[in-house]
Amino acid sequence: PGAAAVGYSEGVGGDPYSNRDARFYINILYNMANYGVPYNCTAPFIVETFVGGRNGFNDVISQETQRSCTGYYSRKDKQVKYWGPGGGGRGNEATHWVFFRLAEFYLNRAEALCELGDLDGAITMVNVVRERALQPKIQDVPGFQKNYSFLIDRIRNERRVEFCLEGHYRFNDQRRWKILDKTNRFITGMRITKDGEGKFHYQRKKIRDYNSYTDKYLVMPIPLEDAKKMAGMKQPAAWQ
């Protein structure tokens, strides 16, 4: 809500990538993003995800290799040559990967304090993460309400944004919050075309459906190899 007021537009010639959360630019490579200057180069590598661009767009998900079928690429923890010149997505360069971050301590505590009714404490904790990410304090967000419902939704969204592309958070969060059936059931991408006047046209495109949106996935099955070794142990009811 209110995104259009700060410049968000998917209309012809619009710019849906301006004035976003600062973490968007750190985590995501999008159309016309400046990826930085590759080694032994003098000019920055500009990402082109529009149809016909250097990073293109792939309409067939089963054939995705170097060309995205979502219109986006992961930037987090990847150096410029990963998607840029001399790359190939091999990831041979040394990259540090963090498995437990300081932000998780703060957001875990924010969530716990919110659940316990300590709203002031929860606000303090979540603001540590938001201010580090150059975002306004939670109480300065339009529509702020000092109540459990507002704060728990914002804390959950903060986890979604902060831990974007880190692999081991989102699905586990959705399971423990028991909201698998309340989240999007499919993935969309942004198919961008460029007209003769140099203007971009934006089309949201459904990529594929999620399969793990039912309560069945609140309990995971016994791995097949373990099940074979323990013949007397049955799979959970949802997986039988």
Side-chain angles (χ1 to χ4, degrees), residues 18-176:
S18 64
N19 295 315
R20 303 291 290 270
D21 187 307
R23 288 165 289 191
F24 174 79
Y25 305 104
I26 296 173
N27 297 341
I28 307 295
L29 286 172
Y30 54 94
N31 189 49
M32 305 310 292
N34 184 330
Y35 199 2
V37 179
Y39 179 70
N40 280 343
C41 296
T42 57
F45 183 85
I46 305 300
V47 177
E48 298 176 348
T49 68
F50 59 88
V51 175
R54 69 171 76 184
N55 304 100
F57 186 91
N58 194 330
D59 285 299
V60 184
I61 189 171
S62 62
Q63 296 177 4
E64 181 179 41
T65 52
Q66 272 294 89
R67 296 186 179 273
S68 170
C69 61
T70 64
Y72 303 99
Y73 293 88
S74 166
R75 185 173 194 162
K76 180 176 280 187
D77 296 312
K78 291 181 176 66
Q79 297 180 16
V80 62
K81 74 175 185 178
Y82 191 90
W83 300 117
R90 294 184 294 274
N92 293 329
E93 68 277 9
T95 301
H96 295 288
W97 188 258
V98 179
F99 287 93
F100 204 105
R101 298 208 282 111
L102 184 61
E104 185 173 1
F105 285 99
Y106 283 106
L107 290 177
N108 284 352
R109 188 173 183 186
E111 183 179 339
L113 291 173
C114 190
E115 294 289 355
L116 290 170
D118 183 354
L119 303 186
D120 288 323
I123 289 171
T124 299
M125 293 300 104
V126 77
N127 278 342
V128 173
V129 178
R130 288 185 59 80
E131 290 184 279
R132 175 180 176 273
L134 306 180
Q135 299 305 293
K137 293 181 178 181
I138 195 69
Q139 59 266 41
D140 295 332
V141 170
F144 171 78
Q145 299 175 43
K146 190 177 177 181
N147 58 48
Y148 168 82
S149 180
F150 179 89
L151 283 174
I152 201 65
D153 284 346
R154 293 300 309 216
I155 291 168
R156 291 179 178 182
N157 187 68
E158 204 67 29
R159 292 182 68 88
R160 181 185 185 188
V161 174
E162 181 69 24
F163 304 134
C164 173
L165 299 172
E166 295 188 21
H168 61 292
Y169 289 102
R170 184 63 180 164
F171 180 57
N172 289 330
D173 281 347
Q174 289 174 312
R175 289 177 65 212
R176 67 189 182 84

